[in-house]
Amino acid sequence: MTSAETIREITRKHLKENNGVALGQCLTAVGWVGGTVPEMTVEEGIVELAMADVSGGGIAVGYALAGRRPIYIVRYQGFQWFNAAHIANYAAKSKELWGIPCPLFVRSIGMDGGMGPVASGSHHGMFERMPGVFIVAPMTSGEYRKAWDFFMEHDSPMYVSEHRTSFKIDYEMEDVVHPNADVTLYPISSTRLNAIAAAQELAKEGIAVNIVHLFWLKPFLADERILGPLESSRHGGLIIDGDFENGVAKCIGFDIMRQSSKKIDVLCLEERTAGFAPHLDNLPPTPERIMKKVKELMTRA
């Protein structure tokens, strides 16, 4: 089963069995959001917001307060800069301030390439600093089910940083750990695919890199799975993200480094605004950029 099929079936079951609701803009247009939205009616719980993608956060929060556990779907993750006000400043704080939980499942979908200065890229970093919100970045069916099960067992909002490249994935991604690796890679979201490709090319040159996939971003737990491969790596670790570096990547890097004797670096979007033209794109680190960075790290003591 692909990730898209898993998301669709979770949504269908939630609407049919839990009195749930899924809302967003252009959900029922051609493709049904990459095949992730079940072809159901408004009477069955699909709410087509008749406005832009940038103003539904407040409505989603209202559904959450009414006990509907809404799935709020935002087709372009960059639009969360407009939606974040309601999610971060009401949903995240409601339980602590007023004792009223606001369980809201935010499907925030990242895309890259020709998307312009707002819509392109992943932007989970904007919620990193706000207490009261869980953040995950699933790429596989198994990870998505874990995220959903956790959401249903708790009563806090969950920010789900999705990426379109995950929708066709029909396998799980296992960590790759070598006995004495040169560098340990910690890729997030779509960069996990590029990290795998980079590792395969580096192996041809005799360079061994571990890959420790990061799915759960906040709260982040630097356990043995995270720290063990790093401690045995000769040149430290590298966190790779499709967001800007002053967000999740540096926060996780700090969390890891304060529990390790090894250094951590980050490789993210370039520190500039993307445009629409191909030559103005600001894309997640490619396999080539990852390979170059790994080789740079191997020159440090």
Side-chain angles (χ1 to χ4, degrees):
M1 179 176 279
T2 65
S3 293
E5 291 169 338
T6 298
I7 297 169
R8 185 174 67 232
E9 291 312 305
I10 285 174
T11 305
R12 185 193 307 279
K13 184 177 180 181
H14 184 53
L15 270 54
K16 291 186 69 171
E17 299 180 5
N18 303 327
N19 191 32
V21 63
L23 68 157
Q25 199 246 348
C26 285
L27 303 185
T28 59
V30 175
W32 294 76
V33 193
T36 62
V37 174
E39 296 185 20
M40 299 171 73
T41 65
V42 64
E43 291 78 12
E44 294 173 304
I46 296 291
V47 177
E48 189 73 76
L49 297 179
M51 58 190 80
D53 255 331
V54 300
S55 51
I59 298 173
V61 168
Y63 270 116
L65 293 172
R68 300 291 298 275
R69 284 190 175 262
I71 300 173
Y72 179 40
I73 304 167
V74 179
R75 298 170 303 144
Y76 302 98
Q77 196 165 153
F79 288 177
Q80 294 295 1
W81 289 106
F82 304 98
N83 282 293
H86 303 94
I87 298 168
N89 288 301
Y90 199 106
K93 299 175 180 176
S94 179
K95 182 178 177 181
E96 184 175 2
L97 290 179
W98 304 294
I100 301 175
C102 191
L104 171 66
F105 193 82
V106 183
R107 283 191 55 203
S108 193
I109 304 170
M111 295 178 67
D112 304 295
M115 305 303 294
V118 177
S120 64
S122 296
H123 297 268
H124 33 245
M126 76 175 75
F127 290 94
E128 175 73 14
R129 63 186 295 269
M130 183 58 68
V133 181
F134 297 109
I135 305 176
V136 292
M139 287 289 287
T140 71
S141 290
E143 292 169 352
Y144 209 92
R145 288 193 180 282
K146 287 180 183 177
W148 178 256
D149 290 345
F150 185 92
F151 169 72
M152 292 300 288
E153 292 167 358
H154 296 78
D155 57 8
S156 295
M158 173 170 278
Y159 185 85
V160 185
S161 178
E162 298 179 15
H163 198 280
R164 281 262 179 177
T165 57
S166 74
F167 290 169
K168 294 183 179 179
I169 292 177
D170 61 357
Y171 54 90
E172 296 300 313
M173 297 184 187
E174 304 297 334
D175 292 347
V176 178
V177 180
H178 300 280
N180 294 293
D182 293 291
V183 175
T184 295
L185 305 181
Y186 297 99
I188 299 170
S189 188
S190 67
T191 70
R192 293 166 62 179
L193 300 173
N194 289 346
I196 293 171
Q200 292 171 345
E201 291 301 313
L202 288 167
K204 296 176 183 177
E205 301 179 27
I207 300 172
V209 295
N210 296 325
I211 300 178
V212 178
H213 296 283
L214 297 185
F215 148 62
W216 193 278
L217 305 184
K218 182 191 174 187
F220 181 76
L221 176 62
D223 57 12
E224 179 58 27
R225 173 181 162 261
I226 301 293
L227 297 175
L230 178 64
E231 290 299 334
S232 61
S233 298
R234 285 190 284 268
H235 304 284
L238 177 66
I239 297 173
I240 309 166
D241 195 8
D243 198 349
F244 292 104
E245 67 178 39
N246 291 305
V248 166
K250 283 188 175 177
C251 288
I252 289 177
F254 174 77
D255 287 343
I256 294 176
M257 273 200 292
R258 67 179 177 179
Q259 299 184 63
S260 170
S261 61
K262 298 297 178 72
K263 291 183 179 178
I264 292 284
D265 211 324
V266 299
L267 183 65
C268 304
L269 296 180
E270 296 177 8
E271 193 69 2
R272 63 178 176 83
T273 299
F276 285 100
H279 69 285
L280 297 175
D281 260 335
N282 190 3
L283 303 176
T286 62
E288 291 76 20
R289 279 186 65 198
I290 296 171
M291 294 173 63
K292 181 180 179 182
K293 188 69 177 181
V294 167
K295 293 175 182 177
E296 288 177 7
L297 297 180
M298 291 176 64
T299 64
R300 72 186 182 190

